[in-house]
Amino acid sequence: MTANSENTRTLRAVLGLLMIIAAFTMAGGIVGAQSATGPGGVLTGRIDGPIDPSAARILKGWIEDAESSGASLFVLELDTPGGDFDSTRDIAGALLDSSVPVAVFVTPSGARAASAGTFVVAAGHLAAMSPGTNIGAASPVNESGEDLPETLKAKATQDAAAFLREIATRRDRNSEALERTVFEAASYNVQESLDLDIIDLSATDLDDLVAKIDGRTVTVRGIDRTISTADVAVERVEADPVQRFLKWLANPHLVFVMLAAGGILILIETISPGGWVAGISGAGLLVLAFLGMGSLPVNWVGLVLIGVGLVLFFWELQAPGWGGFGAAGGVSFVVGGFLLFGDSSIPGLPAPDVRVGIGVLGGTALFMAASLAGLWHFARKARALPNLPRDSQVVGQTGVVRMALEPKGTVQVASELWTAESDSGEPIESGASVVVADVDGVTLKVFREETLNPPGRRI
């Protein structure tokens, strides 16, 4: 295969990847366009899980859909254990600035608006809860859910309380009762929330909520608006394919495994160049890993340690010897994975712990150790091959291709494995018989044996 052919194949792979991304983007636009109801209708979407950057992006997209379609109301159904403070601020800001009335509805029975959910409920133009739900417990903690040091806790608590007071003032809610969720980790059921003027109404389900909202007046961007929901279409919106894909990627275990697999594939490409498959696949996995990290609380110290580990692996493979670089790289990579997500210096709101599990760390470490052992053996054996002169006796000998030449690969000549390259540049498949034409350093130049005596030739 010639250099131009290799470049063409690489270009096609890149174009293919761009086409896939474009297809996802267009699909998302189609879904978003189809999910917009007509003017005066009601849109409803659901956040069921932690408040994170993915949830914030999805909600802001839904509000934009409601605004562009002229909906009379957007209902956010909510069930969350909490989340990070930055995403909570983004969501609360989007609700406060929405030009469409937003009702935040904690539902169904058994759901909760804990921690960050308290801010989201309070920021809605209307707040509602189903029987059997609760709201509150919004005291700041570190990323592991543990109490903060005294000074940092005081600062974080005051910051969260000030933000919640501002929300309560703008939505005319009981700021003192809401502040207790921050200072005292207070939590309220439906009746307590109604009595304390934290929420506006209770409803059993979405239909009941829409019926009870009809005729209510809310203030939207300083203007009083009466909501009319009688006999209007209610349409549910979902995250589009791109949003769902990004949310699926935002998994700490998946991101760490993709970093490990992508790094190994890149290393394979560096010690056995020419095929591009390993290199392109590795680069693709690393791109996906970084996309996933965009929705996770990344600790950059951990990411740097992972990068250092991969560099040490590369050095070990470039000069395989006593294994010191490889061992140090392994330690750096595993420690980096342990520290990759979360930063205890940044206070937040109670939420599920986001870390790479010990089991995933151990399994990935074993996978990388086995992969590197194989690559180390291959690299060491390749460097042990003799640097024969051009007139060596190996020239003219017949061998068998063990790894396809595209145009480089591996051949077996005189019971030894050699790095070889097709003399013509054309690919030669595994198992084909070849003849050594020349020796270039530690690389053999070979051609097909059948070209010496092609089929049908008579002498």
Side-chain angles (χ1 to χ4, degrees), residues 90-447:
D90 286 346
I91 290 178
L95 297 180
L96 292 170
D97 294 337
S98 172
S99 63
V100 172
V102 178
V104 182
F105 185 27
V106 185
T107 191
S109 180
R112 55 180 171 165
S115 186
T118 306
F119 294 75
V120 177
V121 172
H125 296 91
L126 291 167
M129 296 169 64
S130 287
T133 60
N134 64 280
I135 183 174
S139 300
V141 295
N142 66 16
E143 41 80 31
S144 297
E146 300 171 350
D147 287 337
L148 296 166
E150 196 63 32
T151 302
L152 184 58
K153 181 177 181 179
K155 292 180 179 180
T157 300
Q158 291 296 335
D159 182 45
F163 184 46
L164 196 50
R165 278 198 306 272
E166 173 63 21
I167 294 173
T169 300
R170 292 185 60 174
R171 292 297 185 233
D172 194 24
R173 306 197 190 283
N174 187 336
S175 61
E176 292 182 1
L178 287 170
E179 280 184 304
R180 285 198 291 272
T181 67
V182 175
F183 290 118
E184 304 172 16
S187 185
Y188 307 108
N189 61 27
V190 177
Q191 192 57 52
E192 290 169 337
S193 299
L194 285 170
D195 294 341
L196 292 171
D197 196 24
I198 292 175
I199 64 172
D200 302 293
L201 67 158
S202 173
T204 56
D205 55 28
L206 180 61
D207 292 337
D208 185 33
L209 176 70
V210 172
K212 288 181 176 179
I213 287 177
D214 185 42
R216 285 181 174 261
T217 299
V218 296
T219 301
V220 180
R221 293 186 175 179
I223 301 174
D224 290 341
R225 287 178 53 178
T226 300
I227 303 174
S228 177
T229 58
D231 301 322
V232 299
V234 178
E235 185 173 349
R236 182 169 296 279
V237 292
E238 304 285 351
D240 63 43
V242 174
Q243 292 169 333
R244 290 198 296 271
F245 180 64
L246 291 176
K247 193 167 184 65
W248 175 76
L249 282 178
N251 181 310
H253 298 156
L254 179 62
V255 167
F256 182 67
V257 170
M258 288 193 296
L259 284 174
I264 289 294
L265 289 171
I266 293 293
L267 291 175
I268 290 175
E269 184 66 38
T270 61
I271 68 170
S272 182
W276 292 103
V277 175
I280 292 175
S281 300
L285 286 175
L286 293 180
V287 168
L288 292 176
F290 277 97
L291 283 174
M293 284 189 284
S295 298
L296 292 167
V298 176
N299 182 342
W300 294 104
V301 173
L303 188 60
V304 169
L305 287 174
I306 288 177
V308 169
L310 292 176
V311 171
L312 290 172
F313 291 153
F314 175 76
W315 284 348
E316 180 64 42
L317 294 175
Q318 289 299 108
W322 62 285
F325 286 136
V331 172
S332 180
F333 196 94
V334 172
V335 173
F338 180 74
L339 299 176
L340 184 57
F341 300 110
D343 185 346
S344 59
S345 66
I346 301 176
L349 297 167
D353 191 18
V354 179
R355 283 197 182 276
V356 180
I358 298 299
V360 176
L361 283 171
T364 305
L366 290 175
F367 160 74
M368 295 199 72
S371 301
L372 288 169
L375 292 174
W376 181 85
H377 179 74
F378 178 85
R380 187 170 186 177
K381 190 169 184 179
R383 284 164 176 76
L385 294 176
N387 190 357
L388 298 178
R390 292 176 61 87
D391 59 349
S392 170
Q393 293 182 355
V394 76
V395 175
Q397 291 196 33
T398 302
V400 178
V401 177
R402 296 304 183 193
M403 182 182 295
L405 311 185
E406 295 181 343
K408 284 189 175 182
T410 305
V411 300
Q412 181 176 341
V413 179
S415 73
E416 291 185 322
L417 291 177
W418 295 78
T419 298
E421 182 176 3
S422 173
D423 191 45
S424 65
E426 295 297 323
I428 303 178
E429 70 279 4
S430 178
S433 295
V434 293
V435 177
V436 179
D438 198 359
V439 179
D440 183 8
V442 295
T443 302
L444 303 183
K445 298 284 188 176
V446 301
F447 58 89

Side-chain angles (χ1 to χ4, degrees), residues 433 435 447-459:
S433 295
V435 177
F447 58 89
R448 292 180 181 273
E449 183 183 22
E450 62 186 32
T451 59
L452 293 176
N453 187 21
R457 178 182 176 183
R458 296 182 179 179
I459 57 174

